[in-house]
């Protein structure tokens, strides 16, 4: 029952984010703001607090990293408003009142208040609009976040607990699911980092997220070269951060998503067997995640696992790339109208 509940809730969250991306007004811009806020707050916390601060016992870096991590509500409030075309001053007014809220409740509040701000900008004369925004936006934003926060956090905690329960009862079953989902999600505006942070993944599931994302970097680099997608600079860019090449990736969904899903499962099983853990949530990212692992595990075990995953990723992606090329499947892509719809 735990397996069904954990996997089911994980898929529901992924489906909800996909529906938001494709059908909600400014859905893509909203998820880009969510992803950007996670990068701007969770990544500094990971590098400065968990990696450098804890490993080298530098309290100053720990304090700075924890400060950055505590401001995710402010970051997502500001970025959401900016991505939806709101004035920077108005965006800051909204973001500041979200200081004490977590990432998702703050995002929801900022997303909805942005439409009210758009209306004010259109209808209220310039100069007077600032006064109206000050009188309305901070209070309304705070109340929305305050109202929805308990329910949202409770649901996320329940999902995280269910996923953790699956990992405790059948870790390899969970590894298969996470190996399929996380590397592929990292190649979409949904962002694997946001998914991992929302679910509050920790322990082995978070280690799977971090290392499968690292493996996906090798996979994408090799496939871009083997399938002659873009030039060397594109291959390097997609290895560092897949989201920078999202429009190119969208042209080759079967080749890139399919390959990453297959190899992601293999890598997830390797990580599960290694016993590595990562107790910093949101680290499903190819560079920061593996580095932060050193704050929670024995270095030799980490290095051995990372080397194995890198080698496996390169070998399997070379094999799959050559199969795709020799089967003349490398140029199968979406029709222009379908591609335009997906990118939009």
């Amino acid at each position: 029952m735990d397996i069904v509940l954990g996997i089911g809730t994980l898929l529901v969250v992924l489906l909800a984010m996909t529906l938001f991306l494709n059908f909600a007004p400014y859905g893509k811009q909203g998820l880009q703001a969510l992803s950007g806020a996670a990068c701007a707050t969770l990544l500094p916390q990971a590098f400065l607090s968990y990696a450098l601060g804890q490993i080298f016992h530098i309290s100053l870096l720990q304090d700075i990293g924890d400060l950055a991590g505590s401001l995710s509500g402010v970051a997502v409030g500001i970025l959401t408003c900016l991505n939806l075309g709101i004035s920077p001053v108005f965006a800051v007014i909204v973001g500041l009142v979200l200081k004490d809220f977590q990432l998702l409740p703050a995002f929801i509040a900022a997303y909805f208040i942005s439409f009210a701000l758009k209306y004010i900008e259109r209808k209220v004369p310039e100069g007077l609009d600032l006064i109206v925004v000050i009188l309305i936006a901070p209070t309304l934003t705070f109340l929305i976040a305050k109202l929805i926060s308990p329910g949202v956090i409770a649901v996320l905690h329940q999902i995280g607990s269910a996923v953790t329960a699956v990992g405790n009862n059948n870790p390899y079953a969970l590894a298969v699911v996470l190996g399929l989902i996380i590397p592929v999600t990292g190649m979409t505006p949904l962002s694997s980092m946001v998914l991992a942070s929302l679910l509050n993944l920790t322990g082995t599931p978070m280690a799977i997220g971090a290392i499968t994302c690292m493996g996906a970097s090798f996979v994408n680099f090799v496939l871009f070269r083997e399938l002659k997608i873009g030039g060397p600079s594109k291959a390097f860019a997609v290895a560092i951060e897949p989201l920078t090449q999202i429009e190119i990736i969208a042209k080759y969904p079967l080749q890139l998503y399919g390959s990453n899903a297959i190899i992601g499962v293999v890598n997830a099983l390797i990580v599960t067997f290694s016993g590595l853990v990562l107790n910093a949530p949101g680290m499903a990212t190819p560079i920061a995640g593996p580095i932060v692992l050193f704050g929670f595990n024995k270095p030799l075990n980490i290095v051995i696992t990372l080397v194995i995953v890198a080698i496996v990723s390169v070998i399997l992606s070379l094999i799959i790339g050559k199969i795709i090329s020799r089967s003349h499947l490398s140029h199968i892509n979406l029709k222009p109208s379908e591609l335009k719809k997906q990118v939009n």
Side-chain angles (χ1 to χ4, degrees):
M1 187 62 184
D2 283 336
I3 294 178
V4 175
L5 180 61
I7 294 175
T9 50
L10 182 63
L11 294 176
V12 166
V13 170
L14 192 61
L15 176 62
M17 296 177 72
T18 303
L19 291 174
F20 180 85
L21 169 67
N22 289 293
F23 298 106
Y26 300 98
K28 180 179 179 181
Q29 291 86 342
L31 285 180
Q32 286 175 339
L34 192 60
S35 177
C39 292
T41 56
L42 298 179
L43 277 182
Q45 183 179 31
F47 276 112
L48 298 177
S49 182
Y50 298 128
L52 298 177
Q54 288 188 10
I55 293 174
F56 297 103
H57 306 289
I58 305 174
S59 59
L60 175 62
L61 294 182
Q62 284 185 277
D63 292 341
I64 294 173
D66 290 338
L67 175 62
S70 69
L71 296 175
S72 60
V74 175
V76 77
I78 294 174
L79 288 177
T80 300
C81 291
L82 290 177
N83 276 21
L84 268 65
I86 303 302
S87 160
V89 175
F90 296 170
V92 173
I93 291 173
V94 168
L96 291 179
V97 303
L98 296 171
K99 173 183 177 295
D100 295 326
F101 295 98
Q102 294 188 23
L103 196 66
L104 188 56
F107 166 70
I108 295 173
Y111 175 78
F112 282 112
I113 202 67
S114 293
F115 293 98
L117 293 177
K118 281 180 170 292
Y119 182 82
I120 292 173
E121 286 182 330
R122 288 198 310 268
K123 299 297 183 180
V124 179
E126 187 175 355
L128 183 59
D129 58 353
L130 176 60
I131 305 300
V132 175
V133 168
I134 291 173
L135 293 175
I136 295 176
T139 303
L140 190 56
T141 302
F142 183 87
L143 290 176
I144 294 173
K146 189 77 171 177
L147 179 65
I148 66 174
S149 186
V152 171
I153 298 303
V155 170
L156 293 178
H157 282 172
Q158 180 61 40
I159 294 172
S161 299
V163 171
T164 302
V166 174
N168 293 334
N169 294 331
N170 196 331
Y172 290 98
L174 181 60
V176 171
V177 176
L178 294 179
L180 282 169
I181 291 176
I182 289 184
V184 174
T185 306
M187 300 161 62
T188 72
L190 304 180
S191 172
S192 56
M193 191 173 183
V194 169
L195 179 63
S197 62
L198 293 182
L199 296 177
N200 199 35
L201 296 181
T202 56
T204 300
M206 190 65 265
I208 291 172
I211 298 179
T212 54
C213 285
M214 184 207 76
S217 290
F218 289 95
V219 173
N220 289 326
F221 179 83
V222 171
L223 288 178
F224 265 55
R225 299 299 296 270
E226 284 292 311
L227 304 181
K228 297 178 173 57
I229 301 174
S233 62
K234 297 295 185 182
F236 180 77
V238 79
I240 299 299
E241 178 48 70
L243 294 181
T244 62
Q245 306 302 314
I246 190 169
E247 293 192 5
I248 295 179
I249 291 172
K251 296 179 182 179
Y252 302 91
L254 296 178
Q255 300 90 331
L256 297 177
Y257 293 154
S259 301
N260 275 279
I262 294 170
I263 300 173
V265 170
V266 176
N267 288 337
L269 295 172
I270 293 171
V271 177
T272 301
F273 181 79
S274 74
L276 294 177
V277 298
L278 205 172
N279 292 323
M283 290 297 100
T285 176
I287 298 176
I291 291 176
V292 176
L293 282 168
F294 286 91
F296 301 95
N297 305 273
K298 294 180 179 179
L300 182 60
N301 193 15
I302 297 171
V303 172
I304 291 173
T305 304
L306 294 181
V307 170
I308 292 174
V309 167
I311 293 173
V312 167
S313 298
V314 170
I315 292 175
L316 291 181
S317 55
L318 280 171
I319 293 172
I320 292 174
K322 291 187 182 301
I323 291 173
I324 292 174
S325 296
R326 292 177 182 178
S327 302
H328 305 290
L329 301 175
S330 58
H331 297 294
I332 295 178
N333 52 33
L334 296 178
K335 295 179 181 179
S337 59
E338 294 173 341
L339 174 60
K340 182 177 180 182
K341 181 179 179 182
Q342 176 170 339
V343 172
N344 288 338

